[in-house]
Amino acid sequence: MDMTLDEIKQYLLDHALLGNPTLSLLGKGEANINYLAEEGEHKLVIRIARSDVPAYFRFEAERHYMLFIEALNIEFAPRSIHYDPKHNIHIVSYVDGQDASVVDLNEIQTEVFVEQLKQLHNISYDEYTNWCNKVGQAPRGLLTLENRNKMYLQGKLQDIHNHLKINPFANNVIEWAEPKVKILQDSVNGIELRTVFLHDDLRWNENGGNLKLKGDQVIFIDWELSGFFDHLVPEIGDVLGSIPNFNNSVMKKLYKVYVDGEPNRDQLDRSIKYGVLWGRLGNTLWAAERYLSLDKANHPDAMRYRQLTKQGMRDAEPFFNRPFNEWFDK
């Protein structure tokens, strides 16, 4: 059972975080519920793992990496205030501003967003292990490309296969996805792997994109998927691969700002292409797996994920069937 508002208030009091705050719902994410706790000028975000979704996330990794980036004086993130693994609760500083995604960025904010993405990617793994040694924490392992694909592509496809006898929609998804997996695999050849730090959850979705905007500031929120990856794509590919309805103007703006002045454009373009295809395929499989699981459980949110799956299948087609150099022409 999720914590009640009274239980959250008592928790804050018991841990000397706030005395008698006003609580309000900030939003219900895919894995978490976020509340705003206010007491005078003090504001905290109470992040609680949802109990009604399969394999809901815990916040251990989020806490760990948020402390690391704070030690690097990175300012475009909230601060971790309190973490309790027993109750699956993570309390972070409140960030004022407009909830947004990459489709909401103006020209200046786009440049800021790209600069901050690159700042994350330039964090070295040695910096991280040195910090771990300094604070006495064990380094968390790299998520390799192979493991990421097993988890989010092959794993999701297997989950969908398991629903074939229960829901005929699973067959539609498999027939659509399997040729795309082959195209994705073929696009990898010759791309060089590198170790990068990713936020890994800045992609657009219908509820936003884990950004807060205040003037020219762009703050990245919700860091539970962040970490070091043995990767072959900059995060911009995954972001571009989430933008809805083949929105060329937004994609073109982000792409141009990102590649401006970058050396070895051929290698970079190939990496971005892979990231976009991975994002289109991965996001669709995620929605399909979520739909099939929730539909089996007669969950009221099931049909929303079915619609997201169908939209993802439609939106992905142009990317898998057009050359990369035509994606940003319009």
Side-chain angles (χ1 to χ4, degrees):
M1 290 288 292
D2 297 322
M3 294 176 72
T4 67
L5 295 184
D6 286 341
E7 288 171 338
I8 296 172
K9 282 188 176 184
Q10 188 61 48
Y11 184 94
L12 295 172
L13 179 61
D14 291 344
H15 290 81
L17 293 164
L18 292 173
N20 185 30
T22 300
L23 292 178
S24 57
L25 179 66
L26 277 177
K28 184 179 273 192
E30 298 296 340
N32 313 312
I33 303 174
N34 295 322
Y35 295 96
L36 174 62
E38 299 179 84
E39 187 175 37
E41 296 182 355
H42 300 288
K43 296 182 180 181
L44 295 175
V45 176
I46 318 301
R47 289 168 58 71
I48 299 175
R50 288 175 55 177
S51 60
D52 63 336
V53 296
Y56 59 88
F57 295 111
R58 293 180 172 86
F59 297 117
E60 181 181 357
E62 180 175 59
R63 163 79 166 183
H64 177 82
Y65 286 118
M66 286 180 72
L67 291 176
F68 168 59
I69 62 174
E70 181 178 358
L72 296 180
N73 296 315
I74 287 176
E75 298 180 349
F76 50 88
R79 297 309 184 206
S80 176
I81 307 297
H82 175 86
Y83 167 61
D84 182 347
K86 179 180 178 181
H87 293 90
N88 282 323
I89 185 170
H90 189 198
I91 299 176
V92 303
S93 60
Y94 175 72
V95 176
D96 194 15
Q98 169 194 347
D99 290 316
S101 75
V102 289
V103 301
D104 303 306
L105 302 177
N106 63 29
E107 297 293 333
I108 295 176
Q109 291 164 345
T110 298
E111 292 179 2
V112 171
F113 174 80
V114 167
E115 180 182 338
Q116 292 174 177
L117 271 190
K118 292 183 177 182
Q119 185 177 343
L120 291 182
H121 299 167
N122 288 328
I123 298 171
S124 74
Y125 194 69
D126 285 343
E127 284 180 280
Y128 169 62
T129 55
N130 289 339
W131 173 80
C132 288
N133 292 333
K134 181 178 179 180
V135 300
Q137 294 202 33
R140 301 179 70 88
L142 291 169
L143 181 60
T144 66
L145 179 69
E146 181 181 3
N147 286 339
R148 190 176 192 235
N149 286 341
K150 283 182 179 178
M151 186 183 307
Y152 294 109
L153 294 183
Q154 285 89 356
K156 296 297 182 189
L157 270 175
Q158 184 57 55
D159 289 342
I160 293 166
H161 268 281
N162 294 339
H163 288 85
L164 280 173
K165 294 181 180 180
I166 305 169
N167 192 322
F169 187 70
N171 189 61
N172 296 343
V173 176
I174 291 168
E175 288 183 350
W176 173 85
E178 286 185 338
K180 309 242 176 347
V181 172
K182 177 65 166 60
I183 294 172
L184 182 69
Q185 291 171 337
D186 290 344
S187 73
V188 169
N189 297 329
I191 303 179
E192 183 179 343
L193 281 170
R194 57 174 293 204
T195 299
V196 293
F197 183 79
L198 306 180
H199 177 283
D200 202 37
D201 199 13
L202 297 173
R203 57 191 70 88
W204 175 92
N205 67 60
E206 61 181 356
N207 297 317
N210 288 335
L211 301 179
K212 283 276 193 175
L213 304 180
K214 190 173 184 180
D216 295 337
Q217 290 182 300
V218 182
I219 309 298
F220 298 176
I221 61 174
D222 294 3
W223 290 75
E224 70 262 27
L225 299 183
S226 62
F228 280 91
F229 294 72
D230 215 2
H231 220 297
L232 47 73
V233 295
E235 193 162 1
I236 192 68
D238 200 24
V239 172
L240 290 172
S242 72
I243 294 172
N245 301 324
F246 203 59
N247 191 328
N248 292 81
S249 61
V250 174
M251 290 187 69
K252 186 174 184 178
K253 178 174 68 174
L254 277 166
Y255 169 77
K256 282 195 162 186
V257 172
Y258 194 92
V259 301
D260 183 42
E262 287 287 331
N264 196 0
R265 278 283 299 281
D266 178 66
Q267 177 81 8
L268 180 58
D269 281 349
R270 295 186 65 199
S271 297
I272 291 174
K273 174 184 176 180
Y274 175 85
V276 172
L277 295 180
W278 199 101
R280 291 287 172 178
L281 179 57
N283 290 341
T284 304
L285 292 178
W286 164 83
E289 190 275 335
R290 181 62 65 88
Y291 158 65
L292 293 165
S293 297
L294 294 179
D295 185 66
K296 182 180 178 181
N298 294 315
H299 195 285
D301 286 344
M303 292 307 297
R304 180 170 74 88
Y305 290 99
R306 181 185 174 101
Q307 292 305 315
L308 285 175
T309 304
K310 293 171 73 174
Q311 177 184 331
M313 292 164 70
R314 289 193 301 268
D315 287 354
E317 287 301 320
F319 296 96
F320 283 91
N321 294 303
R322 291 184 192 174
F324 176 79
N325 61 5
E326 294 181 6
W327 290 0
F328 312 106
D329 284 347
K330 296 180 182 179

